Amino acid sequence: MENLDLTDLALLKLLQENSNYTTKEIAARVNLSATPVYERLRKLEKEGYIKKYVALLDAEKLGRELIVFCNITLKQHTKVIGNKFVTDIIALQEVTECYNISGDYDFMLKVLVKNMKDYQDFVINSLGSVENIGSAHSTFVIGTIKHTNNVPL
């Protein structure tokens, strides 16, 4: 982050607010012309500060109303088995996030499904087909208090 100046940080904050802003709109907000803003954005992309531009969808409106955090413990811990687990989890569309964690569990999955019946189907048919799972502990979200994809700058 030492390579970023205040203008770069301002650009990143604006893009987190709305990645649909045009270069001209961003330039007006940071008091620069469009060309230097364009060049800075390309530099931020090239250096990996900006990974990609996405549209954030409303999961509920799209029928994915149930959020479940599923904590997984593996039976065995080897490089090959761990890599296979990761590959299998990445392939499951219901899993929107997966973290390798410390503590009582090995992995935490964020799962989006339509309802409890769909989660049961996911556990039995999808998660059940992933090898080497020793245990799975599910926590069901009853209400979202704060949800953001913004990185604190």
Side-chain angles (χ1 to χ4, degrees), residues 32-66:
L32 288 175
S33 64
T35 300
V37 167
Y38 176 82
E39 290 169 357
R40 281 176 178 260
L41 291 176
R42 296 295 82 71
K43 179 181 166 228
L44 291 167
E45 291 167 2
K46 183 180 176 187
E47 292 178 355
Y49 291 100
I50 299 171
K51 294 171 87 171
K52 64 181 176 178
Y53 299 90
V54 298
L56 297 177
L57 306 180
D58 187 318
E60 283 188 40
K61 286 187 178 186
L62 294 167
R64 301 288 178 140
E65 296 181 16
L66 183 61

Side-chain angles (χ1 to χ4, degrees), residues 1-33:
M1 201 163 137
E2 62 275 352
N3 296 336
L4 301 178
D5 63 17
L6 292 175
T7 302
D8 291 330
L9 292 172
L11 295 174
L12 293 173
K13 284 180 183 179
L14 284 168
L15 287 175
Q16 283 192 126
E17 179 185 308
N18 183 353
S19 67
N20 214 25
Y21 283 140
T22 65
T23 303
K24 187 176 179 179
E25 289 171 323
I26 294 170
R29 292 172 186 261
V30 296
N31 297 317
L32 288 175
S33 64

Side-chain angles (χ1 to χ4, degrees), residues 56-117:
L56 297 177
L57 306 180
D58 187 318
E60 283 188 40
K61 286 187 178 186
L62 294 167
R64 301 288 178 140
E65 296 181 16
L66 183 61
I67 302 168
V68 184
F69 288 96
C70 182
N71 294 304
I72 303 289
T73 303
L74 300 181
K75 291 179 193 174
Q76 297 177 319
H77 298 84
T78 68
K79 183 177 181 178
V80 171
I81 289 170
N83 288 340
K84 173 81 168 98
F85 172 82
V86 168
T87 300
D88 291 346
I89 291 302
I90 288 170
L92 300 176
Q93 72 169 5
E94 297 90 348
V95 177
T96 60
E97 298 177 45
C98 176
Y99 301 96
N100 186 206
I101 59 174
S102 65
D104 294 336
Y105 303 102
D106 299 313
F107 293 90
M108 178 187 290
L109 313 178
K110 181 179 178 183
V111 180
L112 293 179
V113 289
K114 183 177 179 179
N115 53 36
M116 192 62 78
K117 185 174 180 342

